[in-house]
Amino acid sequence: MGETIRRVNGYDNNAYTYYPVLIVGAGASGIAMACNLKEKLGFDQFRIFDRQGGIGGTWWINRYPGVACDVPALFYSFSFAQNPGWTSFHPPGREIVQYYHDVCQQYQITDKIQCDTDVDQCRWLEDEQVWEVTLKRMVTGMGDLSTKDRMKVIQEQGEAAVYADTEIVRAKVVVSCVGGLVEPKGWPDDVKGWEDFKGPVFHSARWDDTVDFKDKNVVVVGTGCSSAQLVPRLPNAPYNAKSVVQLMRSPPWVAPATASPGGDEWWERNGPTILKNVPGLLPTLRFLTFAGAEWTFRFFGGSPWAAKQREQYEKELLARMKKIVPEKYHEIMTPDYGVGCKRRIFDKRWLLSLNDPKVELTTQPLNTIKENSVIIGPGATYPAKPSFNLPEREVSADIIVLANGFDTTRWLHPLKVAGRDGKDLVTTMEERGGAQAYQGTSMDGFPNFFMIFGPNTATGHSSVVMASENMVNYSLHFIKPILRGEVTSVDVKHDAEVAYTSEIQKALKNTVWMNGGCSSWYYTKDGWNSTVYPYTQIDFWLRCVFPKWNHWNVTYTQKGLKKQRTRTMLKSLSAIVLLVGAYRMRQNRLSVQDIRTAFQTSVQGLLRRLIELLSVAQGRISSA
């Protein structure tokens, strides 16, 4: 492919670096895109820019105690780089980051990644048919801060404390691999007194390793997947917290983590050896995990059958919960909404940790922050009944950990993208009702711009890595002719994008994600679900494998037009040959029986010849 990274205009003031493909983000999606560009297209003239200080995306930045994969790693890894050496069925975050580093090394793309670089904005230049991209290189360590924290540093110390310099580059194709769980939620707006607290306060996604937990009273705000992993660790070595009070608004559905074959201890001792030495076992286990995950999709539909399946599953989960946790928590741990309405917790330790006298779970709301304590109550956020009209009380607090999730409905934030006529991507989405994209990948009016793991591509039952791979493969259908010089630009048609979004939102209305009775980060206050894909992962895969080209605007080059004409001519010739052949058959009045007889005669002749050859060979062996 002729496209190369190059310097344009030399020493002139308007000189710039040109990148055929610019990838935003060095997490799983960015790595998958880079590897597939090399593997499938034989193309390595790209760069990946990531604002964080290292490779791995969400797994690089999340370092809280107990951080681990809650999906079996053999299914959470790339299909093109399967790893038989996982030390656990659900390995810790550090091991996942190392896996990503190993994949980058294997595909020789580490040198293509530039960290500590913020892709600030992208602007489409219609005349040049390229993207103008603003890069901001950061002072070391600043990229690992949230946007809010960086803005605070700028306000207090000036922009030079965060950004070292700015560069304007251009790119033919821009691929956004900005993840959904990027920006941590800030402090709750309705809680007063944050400025009075004397101890450390930080988000689980920005864990402070310098904080000493020994003999400290800890308050954890939130009961999502992260808190379910970190809370059981805090009372025990090496943290040895004095107490942990966990504040919950409403209970999650808690499912058991997928069991390791033979049990965790047995698998950790034997799993890697078995996977490395038993041919076909790794892909078989991967497929079985995928099939099992797809089967759970039955819980999410709106049909009477799905409701009955969901009801049975809920009974099983509640029975398990009541068997494990103390009776005093049974009522507040019984959800009043359908399972799957918001993300389940796949648990190994959290329910057991609620038996620890050092751990307290409460649904009393956080009210006020004081110097060394918090006020919770009065009342309770769950359940809404008179018996839970509890008086307010003061809880000792030396450390506050926010595990209250992320800003998940602000897609691409803080990246700014301006397409044709200067239209802003996020504004365009909002004007149409909410975050959206055709196949979760493209918006009309934004040529040569692809989103990996964009709106409505997450599933509540499968692997996000698989979903990302599907979108990578889908995007390559359109990126390939651009890099070959056959196409100058592609973007989805307006009607196709609107129709696709309408289909997705309509399908979601008949699912547990919208009718399950919960409040979820899957959708906005206006009821727009920009997160979930309403069908199976098999359906999504099929849509990615077979793109509908008539849904796309494709601007061909002369080279591309010539190739299109050649293809059209070959198709026409093939059709003519078939028609002529059919005509001759009719002229010769060959019947179906005549054709069958001729075919049988040919096959019999081949078989006789094969028998003769075998006889000769056998005779030679006997003589020898």
Side-chain angles (χ1 to χ4, degrees):
M1 294 187 181
E3 288 278 2
T4 60
I5 297 173
R6 59 185 182 271
R7 189 70 180 166
V8 180
N9 294 336
Y11 290 104
D12 295 349
N13 291 331
N14 63 346
Y16 61 87
T17 301
Y18 171 81
Y19 297 101
V21 180
L22 188 151
I23 301 170
V24 186
S29 298
I31 294 169
M33 174 56 74
C35 292
N36 278 277
L37 280 169
K38 288 197 71 173
E39 185 75 7
K40 294 184 177 178
L41 303 189
F43 188 79
D44 67 353
Q45 297 297 291
F46 57 83
R47 284 291 184 273
I48 306 175
F49 296 98
D50 196 298
R51 73 179 190 188
Q52 294 180 168
I55 298 168
T58 190
W59 293 102
W60 165 265
I61 201 65
N62 279 274
R63 304 181 185 190
Y64 59 81
V67 59
C69 185
D70 60 7
V71 175
L74 48 82
F75 184 37
Y76 195 81
S77 47
F78 299 125
S79 64
F80 57 83
Q82 296 183 40
N83 177 25
W86 294 113
T87 61
S88 168
F89 216 54
H90 301 92
R94 178 181 291 273
E95 188 173 343
I96 296 172
V97 170
Q98 183 60 54
Y99 165 73
Y100 288 147
H101 284 202
D102 293 342
V103 171
C104 290
Q105 183 176 348
Q106 177 186 345
Y107 282 82
Q108 298 181 357
I109 63 169
T110 305
D111 63 327
K112 306 292 184 182
I113 301 172
Q114 185 172 312
C115 296
D116 292 313
T117 304
D118 189 18
V119 181
D120 184 60
Q121 63 180 1
C122 305
R123 185 169 66 95
W124 176 252
L125 305 180
E126 183 67 26
D127 292 342
E128 289 88 344
Q129 296 283 287
V130 295
W131 286 96
E132 183 181 79
V133 183
T134 303
L135 304 176
K136 289 189 173 182
R137 291 184 177 81
M138 296 185 178
V139 174
T140 301
M142 289 295 109
D144 286 348
L145 299 181
S146 67
T147 300
K148 302 181 190 74
D149 289 339
R150 284 203 304 277
M151 292 303 297
K152 185 178 179 181
V153 173
I154 290 174
Q155 291 170 2
E156 294 175 352
Q157 304 177 36
E159 189 162 328
V162 174
Y163 296 108
D165 64 72
T166 299
E167 181 185 6
I168 307 296
V169 302
R170 292 187 180 184
K172 189 65 176 176
V173 175
V174 173
V175 184
S176 170
C177 296
V178 177
L181 305 181
V182 176
E183 287 298 313
K185 281 187 178 179
W187 322 128
D189 295 331
D190 56 345
V191 178
K192 303 175 182 178
W194 290 107
E195 64 280 0
D196 298 327
F197 190 65
K198 298 298 184 183
V201 180
F202 51 89
H203 197 278
S204 61
R206 298 296 185 275
W207 194 262
D208 190 343
D209 286 321
T210 66
V211 173
D212 181 11
F213 283 82
K214 186 176 182 181
D215 296 327
K216 301 291 176 57
N217 297 302
V218 185
V219 172
V220 177
V221 181
T223 48
C225 298
S226 298
S227 63
Q229 292 182 335
L230 71 89
V231 164
R233 298 301 205 286
L234 297 182
N236 304 302
Y239 302 97
N240 297 313
K242 182 180 180 180
S243 69
V244 179
V245 177
Q246 188 175 15
L247 307 183
M248 176 173 71
R249 283 188 305 175
S250 62
W253 281 102
V254 184
T258 306
S260 308
D264 288 346
E265 292 184 6
W266 185 89
W267 184 257
E268 287 173 15
R269 287 196 310 269
N270 303 292
T273 302
I274 294 173
L275 290 176
K276 289 175 183 176
N277 292 285
V278 179
L281 180 60
L282 177 56
T284 299
L285 284 177
R286 181 183 171 90
F287 175 78
L288 290 175
T289 304
F290 160 75
E294 286 293 272
W295 175 237
T296 65
F297 186 82
R298 70 190 189 280
F299 300 135
F300 306 141
S303 68
W305 181 80
K308 184 175 288 186
Q309 293 288 309
R310 195 159 53 243
E311 182 181 0
Q312 179 59 38
Y313 185 46
E314 291 169 358
K315 288 179 180 178
E316 294 171 5
L317 297 184
L318 287 177
R320 177 179 179 270
M321 180 273 292
K322 291 178 179 179
K323 184 178 179 180
I324 297 173
V325 308
E327 187 175 354
K328 63 181 178 179
Y329 294 136
H330 287 184
E331 194 163 10
I332 66 172
M333 282 293 289
T334 301
D336 62 352
Y337 58 88
V339 63
C341 183
K342 55 184 176 182
R343 196 176 192 278
R344 293 164 288 171
I345 289 176
F346 295 94
D347 174 57
K348 282 192 173 185
R349 297 177 177 85
W350 183 48
L351 294 187
L352 282 172
S353 75
L354 297 180
N355 292 279
D356 190 329
K358 290 184 177 182
V359 176
E360 179 190 353
L361 178 67
T362 179
T363 56
Q364 287 193 272
L366 184 60
N367 186 324
T368 307
I369 310 297
K370 302 178 74 174
E371 289 187 3
N372 300 297
S373 63
V374 299
I375 305 298
I376 60 174
T381 57
Y382 188 90
K385 54 194 302 186
S387 59
F388 278 82
N389 188 21
L390 306 172
E392 74 173 26
R393 62 190 175 105
E394 188 170 356
V395 175
S396 296
D398 302 305
I399 302 167
I400 298 176
V401 177
L402 294 175
N404 58 340
F406 300 82
D407 291 332
T408 55
T409 55
R410 301 174 68 185
W411 289 93
L412 298 180
H413 179 77
L415 174 64
K416 296 179 284 293
V417 181
R420 285 198 178 108
D421 302 320
K423 288 186 177 180
D424 179 78
L425 179 56
V426 174
T427 301
T428 301
M429 290 179 176
E430 290 174 350
E431 288 173 349
R432 298 184 188 179
Q436 59 189 276
Y438 180 86
Q439 196 70 14
T441 306
S442 181
M443 280 287 288
D444 56 283
F446 296 84
N448 300 3
F449 184 87
F450 301 92
M451 290 172 278
I452 306 301
F453 210 69
N456 296 110
T457 53
T459 59
H461 69 290
S462 192
S463 167
V464 296
V465 174
M466 180 180 180
S468 288
E469 277 197 66
N470 284 332
M471 279 171 275
V472 165
N473 293 329
Y474 182 71
S475 300
L476 290 180
H477 287 294
F478 309 101
I479 294 174
K480 181 179 179 179
I482 295 173
L483 299 181
R484 286 185 169 178
E486 299 166 10
V487 168
T488 57
S489 67
V490 293
D491 73 320
V492 69
K493 294 178 180 177
H494 173 78
D495 291 345
E497 195 285 322
V498 171
Y500 178 87
T501 297
S502 177
E503 176 202 342
I504 293 298
Q505 293 299 319
K506 183 179 179 180
L508 282 167
K509 289 179 180 178
N510 193 36
T511 65
V512 71
W513 294 303
M514 299 301 291
N515 296 319
C518 73
S519 175
S520 167
W521 56 264
Y522 288 162
Y523 55 86
T524 65
K525 293 179 181 178
D526 298 329
W528 184 273
N529 191 321
S530 62
T531 307
V532 183
Y533 185 70
Y535 308 117
T536 66
Q537 193 62 220
I538 294 175
D539 178 271
F540 191 70
W541 173 78
L542 285 170
R543 293 190 190 216
C544 290
V545 170
F546 302 106
K548 298 179 179 179
W549 285 92
N550 61 330
H551 286 185
W552 289 77
N553 297 309
V554 182
T555 304
Y556 289 96
T557 62
Q558 287 300 318
K559 177 182 177 181
L561 286 173
K562 184 177 180 180
K563 194 167 185 178
Q564 283 294 102
R565 293 190 190 106
T566 302
R567 287 173 181 165
T568 302
M569 184 174 66
L570 288 173
K571 288 179 181 178
S572 300
L573 285 173
S574 298
I576 291 171
V577 168
L578 288 172
L579 288 172
V580 170
Y583 175 76
R584 286 182 175 177
M585 286 174 60
R586 186 173 181 181
Q587 287 294 99
N588 295 331
R589 295 182 179 181
L590 291 174
S591 65
V592 173
Q593 183 60 43
D594 293 332
I595 297 171
R596 184 183 293 119
T597 301
F599 177 76
Q600 290 175 344
T601 302
S602 298
V603 171
Q604 289 170 356
L606 286 171
L607 287 174
R608 281 197 300 271
R609 180 58 179 160
L610 180 61
I611 292 170
E612 290 172 2
L613 290 171
L614 288 173
S615 299
V616 171
Q618 188 174 6
R620 288 176 179 173
I621 293 170
S622 300
S623 301

